[in-house]
Amino acid sequence: MVRAAALRRINTAVLLLLLGAGCAARTSRPDIVTTSAARNDALARARVWTETPTASLDVRRGPRGDGAFAPGALVECTRVDRDMSGSTPKFTCRLPGGRDVKVKYGRDNGEVYAEVAASRILWALGFTADAMYPVRVRCHGCEGGTPDGDARLFDPATIERKVRGRTLADDGGEGWSWPELDTLAPTGALSTRAQRDALKLLAAMLQHTDSKREQQQLVCEADSWSTSGCRRPIAYISDLGKTFGKVNLMNRDTPGSVNLDAWLEAPVWNGTTGCRANAGMTFTGTLKDPEISEEGRQLLARLLQRLSDAQLRDVFDVARFPVRAAATGHESETVERWVAAFRKKAAEIASRRCDVTRAER
């Protein structure tokens, strides 16, 4: 009886935690709430990948355009009182020109580092991602941080620029779950099976642990929404904060975010044969050890080869992985070791075959 009571208390605690996470996720407001049929139609046709000149990209500087920030820029802003979803340190801040931005911060917050690196890798390979800029933020009206004259300084910090477009939702909320990519996709969709599988495999390689529906977004590109639906939908991973670690049940910062030893412990594949990617198990996750096609494996293997060692060094350096290492007492986790670990995982993908018959194995 004592054991049963203890188990009930544990189950209740877990349920409350998950309900709390769900409530936090519902604080965001989608741009368009439509019918399930219209939402499913958009997801079925959504683009997940675009051919990209990876070798010519400056991954240190990141995506250009309106709203971009140089690495390490000092950004002045004023706090805006707004509810923020999730449990990691963040706030909304208004720039001098009147634009509001989301700021994540904290030396001990793994998401500050992981999102910069993961989003730039996805962007460089042709997968859509929100732009994450590593900056220092001088906030007026904020609490926390360190005193800096009449403001507070937050360093390290990131500013997020969302993918341009309008977020789609139905009565079930925003986003999409990973199994829906294939169950909804018809023949002739904007994304091929290979492209969808390459995205799944990359998410597993990066150990995208917090893969609940709200962490993947469905967006209708600018000026492509009408009463007849979305002409140019995009499906992408919108929250990459728990990556470069190891998938864990509770999506904890450690070992889930920028932990080299944990990342190395997580193989790309489940088993020595076959192509079931190792995506682990979480209470909220929807990416659960997906089966990858040979075409998807080949596509991601080719894309990963396009990244040079210099680009990878720039990614991990600009994302401030050495700062994360110092904050967690793992100074041995150098940029070079991260590059070597990335290459090791890319080699695991390149050396596997998914079209080998059971008899040939």
Side-chain angles (χ1 to χ4, degrees):
M1 292 179 64
V2 173
R3 183 178 181 184
L7 287 174
R8 283 195 297 272
R9 285 195 296 270
I10 292 172
N11 289 336
T12 300
V14 170
L15 179 60
L16 289 173
L17 178 64
L18 296 181
L19 288 174
C23 290
R26 287 193 291 273
T27 61
S28 60
R29 297 180 178 86
D31 297 312
I32 299 170
V33 179
T34 185
T35 65
S36 293
R39 175 262 182 190
N40 292 349
D41 172 70
L43 182 58
R45 295 181 294 101
R47 170 172 59 83
V48 302
W49 178 80
T50 302
E51 184 67 52
T52 300
T54 302
S56 65
L57 294 179
D58 183 348
V59 294
R60 174 175 290 276
R61 187 168 184 86
R64 307 290 183 91
D66 180 42
F69 295 94
L74 180 62
V75 180
E76 295 270 351
C77 63
T78 302
R79 181 182 175 87
V80 175
D81 188 15
R82 181 177 299 166
D83 290 337
M84 304 292 287
S85 63
S87 58
T88 55
K90 63 177 75 69
F91 56 85
T92 300
C93 217
R94 184 159 295 159
L95 302 176
R99 178 178 291 181
D100 291 352
V101 295
K102 182 167 80 172
V103 178
K104 287 189 177 183
Y105 67 93
R107 184 178 173 85
D108 297 325
N109 180 4
E111 296 194 13
V112 170
Y113 315 96
E115 283 195 297
V116 174
S119 64
R120 294 201 177 188
I121 285 172
L122 264 70
W123 165 70
L125 297 181
F127 298 99
T128 301
D130 295 326
M132 303 297 299
Y133 297 100
V135 295
R136 298 170 296 142
V137 172
R138 192 169 181 270
C139 176
H140 298 267
C142 277
E143 297 179 354
T146 57
D148 188 19
D150 61 345
R152 309 289 292 192
L153 181 66
F154 295 86
D155 180 19
T158 59
I159 288 180
E160 175 186 84
R161 292 297 198 196
K162 302 297 291 184
V163 169
R164 293 186 64 184
R166 304 173 72 186
T167 54
L168 296 179
D170 60 10
D171 289 342
E174 292 184 67
W176 47 271
S177 65
W178 287 90
E180 291 183 297
L181 277 186
D182 291 328
T183 58
L184 291 176
T187 302
L190 294 181
S191 63
T192 65
R193 168 73 187 276
Q195 292 164 3
R196 297 191 300 273
D197 280 357
L199 178 59
K200 292 179 206 170
L201 183 54
L202 180 57
M205 174 189 172
L206 297 178
Q207 289 289 281
H208 172 45
T209 179
D210 194 3
S211 62
K212 58 181 176 284
R213 171 170 165 161
E214 294 84 357
Q215 306 296 66
Q216 294 85 225
Q217 280 290 350
L218 177 63
V219 168
C220 189
E221 282 193 86
D223 302 322
S224 70
W225 173 261
S226 67
T227 54
S228 60
C230 180
R231 295 189 302 278
R232 298 190 303 276
I234 304 171
Y236 73 101
I237 308 174
S238 58
D239 193 324
L240 293 155
K242 297 293 190 296
T243 50
F244 290 105
K246 185 177 182 179
V247 169
N248 61 94
L249 283 175
M250 302 298 292
N251 300 320
R252 291 177 292 117
D253 185 82
T254 302
S257 192
V258 190
N259 184 314
L260 182 58
D261 288 340
W263 196 43
L264 286 171
E265 287 175 5
V268 173
W269 304 108
N270 264 339
T272 57
T273 60
C275 281
R276 187 168 291 280
N278 170 37
M281 177 68 71
T282 75
F283 283 121
T284 59
T286 64
L287 180 68
K288 298 179 180 178
D289 297 348
E291 188 73 34
I292 305 299
S293 65
E294 174 64 9
E295 294 77 14
R297 182 202 67 80
Q298 287 187 17
L299 174 58
L300 183 58
R302 289 196 301 270
L303 294 177
L304 292 173
Q305 288 177 348
R306 296 178 181 179
L307 285 168
S308 68
D309 284 356
Q311 286 176 311
L312 289 174
R313 282 192 289 271
D314 280 346
V315 164
F316 296 128
D317 186 58
V318 78
R320 299 171 291 203
F321 275 32
V323 176
R324 169 67 165 174
T328 56
H330 296 95
E331 286 83 355
S332 63
E333 295 185 357
T334 63
V335 165
E336 291 299 332
R337 286 191 64 201
W338 277 104
V339 172
F342 191 96
R343 287 299 184 206
K344 179 178 181 295
K345 289 181 178 290
E348 289 183 52
I349 293 171
S351 62
R352 187 62 62 109
R353 285 284 299 278
C354 304
D355 57 353
V356 178
T357 66
R358 189 174 300 275
E360 289 175 312
R361 294 174 190 163

